[in-house]
Amino acid sequence: MGWKSRSLAACAVLGLAGCAANPDPTSTVFDPFEEQNRATHNANVSLDRNVVRPFSKGYVTYVPEIFRIFLRNVITNLEQPAIAVNHVLQGEFEDAGHTVARFSFNTVLGLGGLLDPATDFQFEERRTGFGETLEDFGVNEGPYVVLPFLGPSTEREALGRFVDFFSNPYTSIVPTTVSNYIIVGTGLTLVEDRQTFGSTIDSVFYDSEDSYIAARTAYLQFLRARAEGETTIENLEDPYADLLE
Amino acid sequence: MPTYSNDRTCFSRRGALGLVAGAGLLLAAMPAAAQSTAQGQAHVEAAMRDVLAVVNSGKSTGQAVNDFQRILSKYADMAIISRSSLGNAWRSASDAQKRAYVAAYQPYLARKYGKRFADFKGSSFAVTRVRDAGNKGVLVEGEARVPGRAPIAVEFQVSNRSGSIKIYNLIIEGISLLSSEREEIGQMLAARGNNIDKLTADLRTAG
């Protein structure tokens, strides 16, 4: 897909708001399921307080760093083929080649993905997923939804996560025992993330007066920035302009 | 960083509309001509040096928050950031209410973000791109590198429209400080029946 047709598709996805000058990114929240979402959000926060946060503290404290790094490297490496496929679907062939090179490099020289020498040779991870592919195909982001355990999403991104999970060859091809280990391993990397950005997540979940709004605002801005690709000057906020009014 | 290609911007941004807008921006930018992209970059680099010195000092959260508040008033236009956070309610506030709000909001913001510093110990920062943003000043893009993590994209909006060169917005992975603050403060104000005095009083202890 050439940039022109893709850009037109992007315009269609974003609607007029995305193309208008200086839109307020918080004014375009589509949250028809707010009541249900808030209930799920509250359940997630309570699960975090009682289980995930204490468990992640224990994981990072008691499990040696070298094990955590190896595990993260292996899990990340296993995800690369599916990421490369998504880059191809998005027409991003340079990113696809880069990702294939990264995977080959780490699988062979990184001892099956335990190590990550690729990053040191400028083959850093370029993560994407089926949600972003759908976005490229012109699928609207859809209403905001809060997923149990996983948190903020939209209908399109939730579908993307679902497809990502089942399109990962290691969750469907290999014997169940092995894929179970992979699922547990993936869970442990998420647990580690919870601790790595502990005080940032704490401040959204526990310090914000309305943590539901704080999480929703941050997530939707992140998603739209991804759709935009890079920050455009037209879309930058201009608080000084109000002074002149 | 270059995970997302640049070619996803809307057609209008590259086409005729972009040209017209560009010409308009050029005219509007005339008074700000003295402000160069190099100055913007130097300002952001100096600010980030000071921030990272605090982040990597291993100081207690309380001390870090105090230092951060000093850094904010030195490098950021806290007047415009405070004003923007209140959104439309700013217009209807009295002068006394405005002064009290700004005085309460600044330390609140420093507490709120200063507390997160612990997550970024060992980080470094490098500017990757600087763009002239016309009458919006200069957009400085950079990467924060946190050990063992993917780099974090951080952008700074810098302008001299306050009279001296200051940072007036921060965008982390696409999440704008001004937008997030306006949304959250707006929610807090609504929860208090749009009573600014009540909001100001509560901000003194919040964050």
Side-chain angles (χ1 to χ4, degrees):
Chain A
M1 186 161 31
W3 71 262
K4 208 180 270 189
S5 56
R6 182 207 300 283
S7 303
L8 288 172
C11 273
V13 175
L14 294 172
L16 280 177
C19 298
N22 210 5
D24 179 354
T26 56
S27 69
T28 49
V29 172
F30 181 41
D31 189 3
F33 310 125
E34 179 164 347
E35 202 178 323
Q36 176 57 44
N37 281 342
R38 277 190 183 269
T40 312
H41 174 81
N42 291 340
N44 284 348
V45 171
S46 133
L47 183 75
D48 181 76
R49 182 183 288 118
N50 298 313
V51 182
V52 180
R53 184 165 63 164
F55 183 73
S56 74
K57 257 190 193 118
Y59 178 69
V60 172
T61 310
Y62 296 112
V63 176
E65 189 181 16
I66 191 73
F67 173 84
R68 287 183 276 126
I69 292 173
F70 282 168
L71 178 69
R72 176 174 295 276
N73 285 344
V74 168
I75 295 293
T76 309
N77 197 50
L78 291 176
E79 290 169 339
Q80 298 307 305
I83 290 175
V85 169
N86 277 296
H87 280 310
V88 170
L89 290 173
Q90 292 163 24
E92 306 285 358
F93 299 111
E94 200 268 324
D95 286 341
H98 176 105
T99 301
V100 169
R102 175 189 167 83
F103 176 71
S104 318
F105 207 112
N106 278 349
T107 304
V108 179
L109 296 176
L111 309 177
L114 271 181
L115 306 174
D116 177 21
T119 297
D120 298 327
F121 289 91
Q122 308 300 321
F123 283 104
E124 82 289 351
E125 191 187 14
R126 295 187 184 169
R127 185 167 274 275
T128 188
F130 196 65
E132 205 174 350
T133 299
L134 289 173
E135 172 198 306
D136 254 43
F137 287 170
V139 176
N140 205 291
E141 92 185 6
Y144 179 72
V145 287
V146 179
L147 302 174
F149 309 109
L150 300 171
S153 193
T154 68
E155 272 189 358
R156 182 191 68 208
E157 295 302 309
L159 175 64
R161 287 192 84 138
F162 184 80
V163 172
D164 283 339
F165 183 77
F166 287 102
S167 67
N168 189 328
Y170 310 101
T171 49
S172 43
I173 292 173
V174 298
T176 321
T177 346
V178 178
S179 68
N180 283 346
Y181 280 123
I182 293 168
I183 291 165
V184 170
T186 307
L188 286 176
T189 62
L190 293 177
V191 162
E192 190 184 17
D193 286 341
R194 171 64 183 92
Q195 192 58 25
T196 308
F197 288 112
S199 56
T200 303
I201 295 172
D202 281 351
S203 78
V204 172
F205 271 11
Y206 304 109
D207 294 344
S208 297
E209 187 166 284
D210 189 336
S211 60
Y212 177 77
I213 297 285
R216 186 180 70 183
T217 309
Y219 179 76
L220 290 178
Q221 285 190 66
F222 167 80
L223 199 62
R224 282 151 200 188
R226 190 190 77 186
E228 208 179 320
E230 67 161 12
T231 307
T232 55
I233 302 296
E234 300 96 300
N235 284 354
L236 290 177
E237 291 189 61
D238 189 3
Y240 295 100
D242 297 342
L243 292 174
L244 304 171
E245 277 175 16
Chain B
M1 270 295 284
T3 318
Y4 312 116
S5 65
N6 300 347
D7 61 4
R8 278 183 218 171
T9 45
C10 294
F11 178 69
S12 64
R13 286 183 192 141
R14 296 189 167 214
L17 278 178
L19 282 176
V20 174
L25 285 181
L26 203 65
L27 288 174
M30 298 291 266
Q35 177 189 5
S36 71
T37 49
Q39 278 178 300
Q41 175 169 356
H43 186 75
V44 166
E45 282 170 343
M48 283 306 288
R49 253 197 310 281
D50 285 7
V51 167
L52 288 174
V54 178
V55 170
N56 294 326
S57 66
K59 286 184 177 178
S60 72
T61 306
Q63 285 171 311
V65 165
N66 282 338
D67 289 354
F68 186 46
Q69 202 181 330
R70 265 197 301 279
I71 294 170
L72 275 179
S73 39
K74 181 173 175 191
Y75 292 101
D77 185 353
M78 286 308 294
I80 200 81
I81 294 172
S82 307
R83 199 200 125 111
S84 160
S85 69
L86 206 48
N88 287 332
W90 179 267
R91 291 165 202 273
S92 48
S94 72
D95 285 348
Q97 282 176 323
K98 287 175 181 171
R99 273 195 302 278
Y101 175 78
V102 171
Y105 181 75
Q106 295 189 17
Y108 160 78
L109 196 70
R111 283 195 298 277
K112 193 170 156 190
Y113 289 91
K115 273 205 233 171
R116 303 185 186 181
F117 280 8
D119 287 348
F120 299 95
K121 207 163 181 325
S123 298
S124 60
F125 173 82
V127 170
T128 51
R129 184 183 182 191
V130 187
R131 277 188 281 171
D132 186 340
N135 63 347
K136 292 174 186 169
V138 174
L139 180 66
V140 180
E141 292 170 44
E143 272 184 3
R145 291 189 177 269
V146 190
R149 309 294 318 177
I152 300 168
V154 191
E155 293 159 280
F156 300 83
Q157 289 181 245
V158 184
S159 171
N160 61 5
R161 278 179 294 176
S162 64
S164 60
I165 188 158
K166 297 278 186 194
I167 295 167
Y168 69 94
N169 192 15
L170 179 65
I171 306 169
I172 301 171
E173 288 290 343
I175 303 167
S176 146
L177 172 86
L178 290 182
S179 294
S180 305
E181 282 298 309
R182 199 163 48 243
E183 178 102 346
E184 207 172 332
I185 292 289
Q187 188 75 21
M188 290 170 85
L189 187 61
R192 287 164 182 75
N194 291 318
N195 183 336
I196 293 180
D197 298 326
K198 179 93 175 68
L199 173 68
T200 300
D202 290 348
L203 281 183
R204 293 194 184 109
T205 54

